[in-house]
Amino acid sequence: MRRDYNGGLIAFSRFFSFFATKTCSPELSINSQFRLLCITCDSLTTTHTFSQLLRQCIDERSISGIKNIQAQMLKSGFPVELSGSKLVDASLKCGEIGYARQLFDGMPERHIVTWNSIIAYYIKHRRSKEAVEMYRLMISNNVLPDEYTLSSVFKAFSDLSLEKEAQRSHGLAVILGLEVSNVFVGSALVDMYVKFGKTREAKLVLDRVEEKDVVLITALIVGYSQKGEDTEAVKAFQSMLVEKVQPNEYTYASVLISCGNLKDIGNGKLIHGLMVKSGFESALASQTSLLTMYLRCSLVDDSLLVFKCIKYPNQVTWTSLISGLVQNGREETALIEFRKMMRDSVKPNSFTLSSALRGCSNLAMFEEGRQVHGIVSKYGFDRDKYAGSGLIELYGKCGCSDMARLVFDTLSEVDVISLNTMIYSYAQNGFGREALELFERMINLGLQPNDVTVLSVLLACNNSGLVEEGCELFDSFRKDKIMLTNDHYACMVDMLGRAGRLEEAEMLITEVTNPDLVLWRTLLSACKVHRKVEMAERITRKILEIAPGDEGTLILLSNLYASTGKWKRVIEMKSKMKEMKLKKNPAMSWVEIDKETHTFMAGDLFSHPNSEQILENLEELIKKAKDLGYVEDKSCVFQDMEETAKERSLHQHSEKLAIAFAVWRNVGGSIRILKNLRVCVDCHSWIKIVSRIIKREIICRDSKRFHHFRDGSCSCGDYW
DNA sequence: ATAGGGTTAG
């Protein structure tokens, strides 16, 4: 008899399923089924039918359907501990955690699966706190966790940095034998230790797991890769192959990053081959890592080839390409790709934006940078610290510390790096007081300054002539045992040297264990500024011991001889340098007008298409400047020649040509000039006067810092 | 009935 009922029920169930799929309204269909069920076979329900109906509810995401079934189960005397589990499971699958919890809390007895389901739900939705609370509740209810519980709960521990509790649960896993016997538990443990940064622990766990699989080993490789233990990552990958475990797209994705970090193009290409052979060539994650690998190895063309094969690059893929191109000095290409990404309607994130901005600031592309700023705002990243730092750097490098500060003040979170970026912006633009104020703020906020902070602060003092403040700070940094590098010392040597305190500067160098070329050269250029020929010769000999025939050194000394009128020596040195086939970098200036960059080289009067107009304007500007007191400073000419020729050579400096051009084009706003060398004294005093004549700000970035010329004076206070 | 790993930044 009973068998017959069952057969009937199964038939009903089939009918219900069919009915459900044919009905448009999910709510109606499941409720109608209920009415049918209640009328026809009130007391004939079985597990099978309920399961089937619940599945329907899940498909239709119908929580009211679940509630109906609950009522029905209750009516039919269905065993509570079984009905509860099923209902909780179904509610979770409908995303109704609230109702699932309500059911769960009302259950007198809970099956382990119910606990596990709830915990897994919380983990899946990154609600780690609730997952751990549930786990604790489970323990205090004397329910012993099983492999399912443990393999989920470890993720919550790492997410919340609960190392102590994690260790206790690990112990439990060991006692239960699950660490060894269950690869899910093993993987979760490996992943957890990796996230705690404990790759050694992770490896120990892995070694104990009996049957190792891809996921387990990949979790470890990821750990090594993310912690920068790249050699270990590659080794783990190799041993995986030896043990005949097939890598998959995640494995390739992580091991390739390590190859890139190691610049191990040999293994990189080998793994690329394996990837193709095993059919993961078109998996996006591995493709992205492949792209990154080639970019880190500076094989830009290969990376572009890989990128071309990617059908649907996502946000990460694009970002990887853009940031890699910027890192390889291919800023223009990076920005073209960034535009393409926007055209393809792939949303940028803070990684993308900071890379694009870095591209702009490397080339001081003010207009392009402002457009990217527009995109930053459009996508709501104005308060983001990564995009923000990019903007601060951009405006700093374009000579707009005011704009940089505006960005800085809107950031939602101030940290060491954004403060460093802002301090550095002030420093390179010569706003020492503002920089020091921010440094003080960093200290008051209890943030620990790092080596970049120290450099920025010292540079700020250096660029604004705050020598006393600089020395004081340097002493305090020494006392605080902050790691001071050669760069920090070089900054101090420059500061003291330019202030004429050459002996102190030299003393400082003797303090350094491994003084490098830059350090000595800095001292040498201070000798040049103060025309200390003997000291310069002594220093030069020292430098040539470390770096025989160093070009920069010889040029510095030769220029010193020139500025002190020792022309015989100059000629000697020039011929020596000619013998050594050394030649000077040509002096260049750039000016951006209407998104177009114009290049000018010193002494080159004819290659620009508008050279006629440029010379006309230049002559007029020089004449007007002379009326206001400009006199050529011939000590800036490093070659022996007729006085008029010296004047002519000064008039042909690249920044003068660039400014004359900008004046002719008569664009609104400030004139921005970029230079590859430092601005000379003659040009500096000329530009000051010109800024008064044309009543416009002229911003000049030389190889070391910014000069803001306004109404006859410069922000550097003639100290640079 | 319930479970594990990935790629981009200052």
Side-chain angles (χ1 to χ4, degrees), chain A residues 352-413:
Chain A
T352 330
L353 294 167
S354 70
S355 300
L357 287 167
R358 179 155 273 265
C360 296
S361 43
N362 283 354
L363 302 182
M365 292 192 276
F366 186 64
E367 276 313 314
E368 183 97 29
R370 289 226 298 206
Q371 283 176 27
V372 180
H373 190 165
I375 296 171
V376 169
S377 302
K378 185 179 158 194
Y379 287 94
F381 285 96
D382 277 306
R383 295 162 66 80
D384 178 85
K385 59 181 176 176
Y386 292 102
S389 296
L391 286 170
I392 294 167
E393 194 186 322
L394 170 79
Y395 288 127
K397 283 212 174 144
C398 290
C400 313
S401 14
D402 295 353
M403 297 266 269
R405 182 58 191 254
L406 276 177
V407 173
F408 177 81
D409 285 334
T410 57
L411 292 184
S412 58
E413 184 198 350

Side-chain angles (χ1 to χ4, degrees), chain A residues 157-158 161-168 170 179 186-208 216 219-229 232:
Chain A
F157 290 144
S158 56
S161 311
L162 297 171
E163 275 202 69
K164 277 260 159 58
E165 198 166 351
Q167 233 150 29
R168 274 200 298 274
H170 182 185
E179 187 211 38
S187 308
L189 276 167
V190 167
D191 179 56
M192 180 183 74
Y193 281 118
V194 156
K195 302 234 157 85
F196 284 139
K198 300 192 160 173
T199 43
R200 224 172 50 94
E201 290 295 324
K203 173 78 165 76
L204 289 173
V205 172
L206 177 129
D207 285 339
R208 287 192 288 263
L216 177 73
L220 183 68
I221 294 176
V222 168
Y224 285 139
S225 179
Q226 287 177 346
K227 230 191 140 204
E229 295 167 5
E232 294 305 316

